[in-house]
Amino acid sequence: MRYFLFIICFFYLNNFFGQTLKGKVYDSNAVVKDIKVFNKTQNRLTVTDKEGNFSIAAKVTDTILFKSIFYHPLEVVLKQTHFDDVNVFEIEKIVSELDEVEIKSEPEQPVFKEETYNEELHNLIKEDIKKNPHLYAPKEAYSGGANLLAIIDLVAKLFKNKNKYKAPKYQPISYTQMDSLFTNSSFFNKRLVTENLKIPEDKTKLFYDFCSAKGISSELLLDEKKMMLLEELVVNSQLFLILLEEYGEDATVKD
């Protein structure tokens, strides 16, 4: 009877004061070293050796945490069977997955189309001319004797006062440069002027003169700036056509 009580006390005290948990840690490929093995219940810590082995003081119902920055944490609540032999614990590696990246091709150079001709802007300019005719036409215009070149010169001066170019190294595009551009360029050709910008063929020279009077920077003649130049020409063509419509008459143009 005394021996039987001794055995019971031995197992009770052994369980109460703790035992030693022995184990080996693997991932899906091999043993893992330097994994932290933390007894959360007793606040004890150890790490696995290069063979993945560890031992730590523990008892039944203790919670053991396996942790590493490269692996998902694993928690195990100990049972009596964990102390019967060396245990094997498998942890899962954290796989770094990059977000899907959409590779886009380099945007193509935009192509000028007839739709670029902005009717809304055309109407806004036309409406402004109706509201403020004195800003666009000289006094003679009210008597029916408007001089188209004088009107264009007045409009050009208004734009020059509002849009002075601040970089002195680029001069305004001259009439000669404008004429040469539409004669020699494969992009800025005469077809673009007559078909896309809607400039009457017999008024193209006058349109070049109008654009040169607007003080457009010669910087826009650079190949990488050609779409900006196109935008300028579109706006100028709309204003030019409105002036032709409102005050148009035969006028002398440059040869």
Side-chain angles (χ1 to χ4, degrees):
M1 184 67 178
R2 192 175 296 176
Y3 176 77
F4 178 72
L5 291 175
F6 173 79
I7 296 296
I8 293 176
C9 290
F10 173 80
F11 279 105
Y12 175 79
L13 292 174
N14 190 48
N15 185 62
F16 181 81
F17 289 106
Q19 306 174 62
T20 300
L21 175 69
K22 296 182 179 180
K24 183 181 286 284
V25 179
Y26 285 83
D27 61 16
S28 58
N29 298 315
V31 295
V32 188
K33 66 176 182 178
D34 298 328
I35 298 296
K36 294 179 181 178
V37 183
F38 179 55
N39 187 329
K40 296 174 63 177
T41 306
Q42 299 187 31
N43 198 28
R44 297 176 182 270
L45 176 67
T46 187
V47 294
T48 58
D49 61 19
K50 63 181 180 179
E51 300 297 331
N53 298 312
F54 74 92
S55 62
I56 189 170
K59 59 183 179 63
V60 175
T61 72
D62 281 0
T63 299
I64 305 298
L65 172 65
F66 300 88
K67 190 174 181 181
S68 168
I69 60 173
F70 301 110
Y71 293 86
H72 292 286
L74 172 67
E75 280 193 4
V76 178
V77 178
L78 298 180
K79 301 177 181 179
Q80 183 57 51
T81 54
H82 286 107
F83 298 94
D84 295 342
D85 203 347
V86 176
N87 297 270
V88 174
F89 300 94
E90 183 176 350
I91 56 177
E92 182 180 357
K93 184 178 292 186
I94 297 174
V95 179
S96 178
E97 297 180 355
L98 296 177
D99 294 334
E100 182 179 352
V101 178
E102 181 180 358
I103 301 176
K104 297 182 179 180
S105 59
E106 184 178 348
E108 297 181 357
Q109 185 68 263
V111 178
F112 179 75
K113 297 181 180 180
E114 189 170 344
E115 290 78 8
T116 309
Y117 188 86
N118 192 322
E119 185 175 352
E120 183 178 353
L121 178 59
H122 178 97
N123 292 333
L124 286 174
I125 297 173
K126 191 171 183 178
E127 186 67 24
D128 189 58
I129 290 177
K130 290 180 179 179
K131 291 180 179 179
N132 305 288
H134 60 285
L135 298 177
Y136 294 88
K139 293 180 180 179
E140 307 87 69
Y142 300 109
S143 62
N147 184 298
L148 183 59
L149 287 178
I151 295 170
I152 290 175
D153 182 63
L154 178 61
V155 173
K157 287 180 180 178
L158 288 173
F159 275 89
K160 281 183 179 179
N161 291 334
K162 294 179 180 178
N163 302 308
K164 290 183 179 179
Y165 189 66
K166 296 182 180 180
K169 66 178 181 178
Y170 290 108
Q171 299 300 320
I173 299 176
S174 66
Y175 170 86
T176 303
Q177 289 175 309
M178 190 68 66
D179 186 41
S180 175
L181 175 68
F182 284 100
T183 301
N184 302 315
S185 173
S186 59
F187 184 81
F188 294 100
N189 50 45
K190 292 183 178 179
R191 183 177 177 182
L192 183 146
V193 177
T194 57
E195 295 186 11
N196 297 106
L197 298 182
K198 308 298 184 183
I199 305 300
E201 189 171 353
D202 62 336
K203 295 294 190 296
T204 55
K205 300 292 184 180
L206 187 61
F207 176 63
Y208 301 162
D209 195 16
F210 175 71
C211 290
S212 64
K214 290 285 296 300
I216 301 172
S217 171
S218 58
E219 182 183 8
L220 301 188
L221 292 174
L222 299 173
D223 188 62
E224 61 270 22
K225 302 283 186 179
K226 68 181 182 181
M227 297 312 298
M228 295 177 63
L229 176 57
L230 180 59
E231 291 178 5
E232 287 280 348
L233 293 174
V234 169
V235 174
N236 291 340
S237 68
Q238 294 173 22
L239 180 56
F240 181 78
L241 290 172
I242 294 173
L243 293 173
L244 283 180
E245 181 181 339
E246 294 292 319
Y247 310 111
E249 63 177 23
D250 293 335
T252 303
V253 296
K254 296 185 179 182
D255 294 329

Coordinates of all heavy atoms in Angstrom, one line a residue, residues 4 14 39 72 79 86 135 167 172 176 191 223 252:
F4 N 2.4 1.7 -3.4 CA 1.4 2.2 -4.4 C 1.2 3.7 -4.2 O 1.1 4.5 -5.2 CB 0.1 1.5 -4.1 CG -1.0 2.0 -5.1 CD1 -1.0 1.6 -6.4 CD2 -2.1 2.8 -4.5 CE1 -2.0 2.1 -7.2 CE2 -3.1 3.2 -5.4 CZ -3.1 2.9 -6.7
N14 N 5.8 14.7 -10.6 CA 6.5 14.8 -11.9 C 5.6 15.7 -12.9 O 6.2 16.5 -13.7 CB 6.7 13.4 -12.5 CG 7.6 13.5 -13.7 OD1 8.7 14.1 -13.7 ND2 7.3 12.8 -14.8
N39 N 7.6 28.1 -24.5 CA 6.6 27.6 -23.6 C 5.8 28.8 -23.0 O 6.3 29.4 -22.1 CB 7.2 26.7 -22.5 CG 6.2 26.0 -21.6 OD1 5.1 26.5 -21.5 ND2 6.5 24.9 -21.1
H72 N 5.0 30.3 -40.6 CA 3.8 30.6 -39.9 C 3.9 30.0 -38.5 O 4.4 28.9 -38.3 CB 2.6 29.9 -40.7 CG 2.3 30.5 -42.0 ND1 1.7 31.7 -42.1 CD2 2.5 30.0 -43.3 CE1 1.6 32.0 -43.4 NE2 2.1 31.0 -44.1
K79 N -0.1 17.1 -24.5 CA -0.8 16.0 -23.9 C 0.3 15.0 -23.3 O 1.5 15.2 -23.6 CB -1.6 15.2 -24.9 CG -2.7 16.1 -25.6 CD -3.4 15.3 -26.6 CE -4.5 16.2 -27.3 NZ -5.2 15.5 -28.4
V86 N 10.3 11.1 -28.6 CA 10.7 12.4 -29.4 C 9.6 12.7 -30.4 O 9.2 11.9 -31.2 CB 12.0 12.2 -30.1 CG1 12.4 13.4 -30.9 CG2 13.2 11.9 -29.1
L135 N -13.5 93.5 -79.0 CA -12.2 92.9 -78.8 C -11.6 92.2 -80.0 O -10.4 91.9 -80.1 CB -12.2 91.9 -77.6 CG -12.6 92.4 -76.2 CD1 -12.7 91.3 -75.2 CD2 -11.7 93.5 -75.8
A167 N 10.7 82.0 -71.9 CA 12.0 81.4 -72.1 C 12.6 82.1 -73.3 O 12.2 81.8 -74.5 CB 11.9 80.0 -72.3
P172 N 9.4 83.1 -81.1 CA 8.1 82.7 -81.8 C 8.4 82.1 -83.2 O 9.3 82.5 -83.9 CB 7.3 84.0 -81.8 CG 8.0 84.9 -80.8 CD 9.4 84.5 -80.7
T176 N 8.0 82.1 -92.1 CA 8.8 81.2 -92.9 C 8.9 79.8 -92.4 O 8.8 78.8 -93.1 CB 10.2 81.8 -93.1 OG1 10.1 83.1 -93.6 CG2 11.1 81.0 -94.0
R191 N -2.3 68.5 -96.3 CA -3.5 67.8 -96.2 C -4.1 68.0 -94.8 O -5.3 68.1 -94.6 CB -3.3 66.3 -96.5 CG -4.6 65.5 -96.5 CD -4.3 64.1 -96.9 NE -5.4 63.2 -96.8 CZ -5.5 61.9 -97.0 NH1 -4.3 61.3 -97.4 NH2 -6.6 61.2 -96.9
D223 N 10.7 67.6 -82.2 CA 9.9 66.4 -82.5 C 9.0 65.9 -81.3 O 7.9 65.5 -81.5 CB 10.8 65.3 -83.0 CG 10.0 64.1 -83.6 OD1 9.3 64.3 -84.5 OD2 10.1 63.0 -83.0
T252 N -5.2 90.1 -99.1 CA -3.8 89.8 -99.7 C -3.1 88.9 -98.8 O -3.0 89.2 -97.6 CB -3.1 91.1 -100.0 OG1 -3.9 91.9 -100.9 CG2 -1.7 90.8 -100.7

